[in-house]
Amino acid sequence: PAAQFLPMAARHGLIARLDCVVVEKLLDHLSRGAAALPVMALNISAHTIADPAATRRILCLLDARKHLAGRLVFEMTEFGALQEWTLAQRFSGEVRRRGARFALDNFGLLQESLMLVNALRPHYIKLSSGYSRELARNADCRFLVASIVKIARALDIGIFAQAVEDEALVPLLLELEFSGYQG
């Protein structure tokens, strides 16, 4: 599981290298026609976009397989994007120019969150899983989430719920006009 090897990779400074290998392997997989899904999302670390060589490598991989770039969505955590605000803007712009998409994962509501959404204009955002757990039983949470959805929709940004583990939550997500959910 990633929870076991990612901390080791981080400790040894291998996250950027790992991200590059994942992009390369995924593009290889897609080029063989092996993936049935039209779009594949993959996580990208703030460490990777802070590494000029790693960023160049990923952009070169996209340049070499332009016909596949549109099938990729690079997801970065809100926290990581806030850590590397300028680099996240640059990276999201570069992958978009190559036809790929950029999204925010684990979106919460920090003071800077909405500025980040406006600056990066991600293809979608995935709300932090805490919202899903509270949505059905907490009116304040529903109001906040409905507001986030309304803002995202106005900016033509999709919004996804995470950690949806109860089918009873799905009608509420549909009512709130979520783009989708996972869990």
Side-chain angles (χ1 to χ4, degrees), residues 51-98:
D51 181 330
T55 301
R56 254 190 325 277
R57 177 73 182 133
I58 289 169
L59 297 176
C60 286
L61 288 166
L62 292 175
D63 287 338
R65 305 230 176 119
K66 287 181 170 84
H67 64 289
L68 297 173
R71 295 184 62 193
L72 297 182
V73 180
F74 289 89
E75 291 184 357
M76 177 175 274
T77 64
E78 173 189 54
F79 180 75
L82 284 170
Q83 282 183 303
E84 299 293 349
W85 181 290
T86 304
L87 295 174
Q89 279 186 291
R90 187 176 306 138
F91 182 79
S92 68
E94 290 295 331
V95 297
R96 272 194 205 97
R97 274 189 278 291
R98 287 161 173 82

Side-chain angles (χ1 to χ4, degrees), residues 44 57 63 74-75 98 111 123 135 155 159:
I44 196 80
R57 177 73 182 133
D63 287 338
F74 289 89
E75 291 184 357
R98 287 161 173 82
Q111 183 176 350
H123 182 66
L135 202 53
L155 296 171
I159 188 157

